[in-house]
Structures are given as structure tokens and as C-alpha cells.
Amino acid sequence: MTLRVLILGGTSEGRRLAEQLAKGARHAAVLSFAGRTESLVDPGVPFRVGGFGGVEGLVAHLEREGYHALIDATHPFAAQMSRHAADAALRVRLPLLRVECPPWSPVPGDRWTTVPDMGTAAAALGSAPRRVFLTIGRQELEAFAIAPQHDYLIRAVDPFAPLLPRARVIAERGPFEVDAEHRLLEDEKIEVLVSKNSGTPSTAAKLEAARRLGLEVVMVARPELPRVPTVHTAAGAMAWLDAQASMRRGV
Ligand code: NAP
């Protein structure tokens, strides 16, 4: 049986799953984007962009479109969307799977300060001016308004004019390589790196580069997410979809 699947995207694993589904004809997927980036890359399956209008909107959407399964492949920090997905799946009795790569863990040589949120990350930079590499996207930058004394290099997918007084933006999309990250940190005389613990393999090179240079990393821990069945990879999600299809067929 072919399943109609809604994938809540925002990660490379969600995109990889959509691409795999586009190649085979096993299941029919629609990929949903929040619309946070201007330069959207076509995933090869039908896609939609923008919020659903809270849990109620998502429930109505799932019912109207007749989906058989919901896959939450959102960014680990998109906690609201994950909570809405869990609530809506329960209400419309839809099987829900989360696709999420494991968080990064420090290894010998790392100098991490792990903090619970962005405000604490900004405070952890200290009072003396430092050169900071901010790799947290652009949505939560206002947290750093409490620390305007630092020089910030901000990396984001799209260019924008930062509101922080001593900040510069480089617009780049991963994957990133260790040697290039090493060069960037050296050229920019970076003293401390701030990152969310996304665990994304394509953006992990900065951590190795920081380790090589002995730089401090302020690592923002993941928010609490609803407990739902979870796999780490697109391949795992594909196997889960096949199992759901077999169950529906009564195999
Ligand atoms: P969020 O706070 O969980 O979501 C806010 C609202 O955005 C949701 O309630 C939903 O609107 C809409 N939304 C989120 N993901 C969606 C999707 N895949 N399809 C359709 N609508 C979606 O997430 P966020 O505001 O996007 O980001 C929170 C954190 O995650 C930030 O730190 C951000 O940097 C990080 N992040 C997010 C993404 C992403 O693609 N969302 C990617 C990279 C990093 P309705 O309530 O109207 O349905």
C-alpha cells in the first residue's frame, strides 16, 4: 500500500527522506517548510511553505489532506512544531515518527561550556570584549543584545542586516569542511564559538576546528521535546514507513 506522508522539514535528514521517497514510488510525500530561509532548494517532492495555524490548523490540515502518517523531521530546536505534531497526531490518531540525529558530545580536547538557553549563552561570553563566532541562525540573535561589547561574526543561510552594534554576517549554507572552518576561525581571530547542539553532521566541522585551535565553545543544549518513536536517519524512517504500510495491509 502507498502511504500519504506529511514530512515536517527543516533538517537535512528530512530533505534526504523526501529525496529518497521522490526516487522510489513506494510512498507519496509532501514536505513542509517553516519558510525561515529565502533560498529554498526544491526537494523533488511536492512541498508547502509556512505555518499551519497552531495545533488546530495542523489537525484540520491532516484531516483534509487524508495523510496516513506524519514524520517530524524538524530542527531539534523547533520545539513548538514538535509539540504541535505530537498533539495533532494523537488527536487524529496518526502514526508519528521523529527523525533526529543524536546530539554532539564533547570529546577530549574540547573546551565546551554547555548552557540551557540563548540568554545564558550570551551571559557566558563574559564582560571583557571578545571575538565571537555565532552559528545559531538569525532568529534568536536578540539574546546577545545584553552583550554588545563583543565583536560578532554571524553565519546564516541568507544575508541580513544585524541589529547588534559590532556584528558582521556571512551568508553560507553547509556542509562545511574542517580545513575551511579552521581557516575562517584563524583569519577572523575568533576567540569563542557559540552553537546550538543540533548534532547535524554537515555543520560539525566547526567543532573539530575549534578543538584544533583550543577555542572555547558555548554549546546551547537542546530543548525538551515530546517523547515519540524516534529514528536517527532517513533510512530508518523509510523502514518505519514500510512497516506502517505492511500493518495497514494486515501483513
Ligand atoms: P518552532 O518555534 O518550533 O515553530 C514556530 C512555528 O513555525 C510553528 O508553530 C509552526 O507554525 C511553524 N513551523 C515550524 N516548523 C514548520 C514546518 N516544518 N512546517 C510548517 N510550519 C512550521 O520553530 P522555528 O520558529 O522555526 O525555530 C525555532 C528554532 O529552531 C530556532 O532556534 C531556529 O533557529 C531553529 N531552526 C528551525 C528551522 C526550521 O526549519 N523551522 C531550521 C533550522 C533551525 P504554526 O503554529 O502556524 O503551524
Side-chain angles (χ1 to χ4, degrees), residues 115 118 121-122 125 132-136 144 152 190 192-196 206 216-220:
V115 296
M118 221 44 89
L125 295 174
V132 183
F133 187 26
L134 273 186
T135 61
I136 59 160
F144 291 85
Y152 294 102
I190 297 298
V192 54
L193 163 74
V194 183
S195 173
K196 292 174 186 163
K206 62 189 172 186
E216 184 189 343
V217 174
V218 176
M219 184 64 77
V220 183

Side-chain angles (χ1 to χ4, degrees), residues 213-232:
L213 291 163
L215 298 186
E216 184 189 343
V217 174
V218 176
M219 184 64 77
V220 183
R222 292 181 175 187
E224 193 79 32
L225 294 184
R227 289 177 188 274
V228 300
T230 300
V231 294
H232 293 325

Side-chain angles (χ1 to χ4, degrees), residues 36-121:
R36 303 285 176 245
T37 57
E38 288 152 29
S39 45
L40 199 150
V41 180
D42 189 333
V45 293
F47 64 92
R48 62 171 299 289
V49 182
F52 299 93
V55 184
E56 296 304 325
L58 181 57
V59 164
H61 181 85
L62 293 170
E63 286 179 334
R64 190 174 59 242
E65 302 293 327
Y67 286 109
H68 301 115
L70 179 60
I71 294 195
D72 174 8
T74 56
H75 191 271
F77 283 71
Q80 181 168 301
M81 190 68 251
S82 290
R83 281 195 290 271
H84 290 182
D87 288 354
L90 206 63
R91 284 199 19 207
V92 299
R93 294 164 186 258
L94 214 59
L96 167 67
L97 180 75
R98 180 156 173 78
V99 186
E100 176 182 270
C101 45
W104 293 312
S105 300
V107 299
D110 278 333
R111 291 178 54 217
W112 287 17
T113 303
T114 298
V115 296
D117 52 51
M118 221 44 89
T120 317

